[in-house]
Amino acid sequence: MSKSKAPKPNIKKVLESGAEPKHRFIENYKELKTLVEACKEMGYRIVLTQGVFDLIHEGHAAYLSKAKSHGDLLIVGVDSDALTKQRKGPNRPIVPEDERIKMLLHIRSVDIVTIRDIKDGLGGLIKLVQPDVLIASQSTADFKKDMVYDYNKYCGKIVILPPQATTSTTGRIRKLSIEGAEKLAREVSKLTQDFLNNIKNG
């Protein structure tokens, strides 16, 4: 979260049709808060969701589309690389935060993207935005239903969505890991056999 003084956001540049991605990524939380307050005054219904969004797939796109259907303006908080490692383990994310942000900005249902870091915690962005609707995923392991409702006083409504596709990032990574392990095992077996053959023939 940037500590610098926030410039006054240009709402038109953010919300107009075909708005450039660079105007829709708002890293500075003070700027984001000012923008959100202005949008609420204009009557926009604000929807917030947050997560890693690693190896983006059809389930993510469907989830975000469903989230957007609950309001007028969808804000997505993307976990920083540091927060992702804390939540998911040392081998995550697969895709760096800069690339994940860019990918999300190209999804039609996403209006604004911001970053969520370790110092912000799981609830910092929720408290800042105070959305009309908070969307959470049923499959998020460290953000359980009872924990979500701890933030009820900061939100007009909380909606928990089930997985929107059979594909999952964790499943994809597991498959890649298994395939990698099997390939390594075959190579080791071949090297071992070649070594034994060389000894026999030597």
Side-chain angles (χ1 to χ4, degrees), residues 131-173:
D132 295 291
V133 185
L134 172 66
I135 304 290
S137 173
Q138 204 173 63
S139 61
T140 303
D142 63 351
F143 205 59
K144 299 296 186 183
K145 185 174 180 179
D146 55 347
M147 188 176 179
V148 170
Y149 285 98
D150 288 342
Y151 301 108
N152 199 38
K153 62 184 177 182
Y154 301 106
C155 313
K157 180 182 179 182
I158 296 174
V159 176
I160 299 177
L161 295 179
Q164 299 297 301
T166 55
T167 305
S168 76
T169 300
T170 302
R172 279 187 168 185
I173 293 170

Side-chain angles (χ1 to χ4, degrees), residues 92-107:
R92 300 285 299 276
I94 303 299
V95 179
E97 63 188 62
D98 288 349
E99 290 184 36
R100 289 183 281 125
I101 288 167
K102 288 175 184 175
M103 291 166 74
L104 283 166
L105 287 168
H106 285 90
I107 293 179

Side-chain angles (χ1 to χ4, degrees), residues 194-202:
D194 288 347
F195 177 71
L196 291 172
N197 288 338
N198 288 334
I199 291 175
K200 288 179 183 177
N201 297 329

Side-chain angles (χ1 to χ4, degrees), residues 81-93:
D81 291 345
L83 180 57
T84 301
K85 287 183 188 302
Q86 184 185 77
R87 295 182 61 208
K88 303 291 186 178
N91 296 322
R92 300 285 299 276

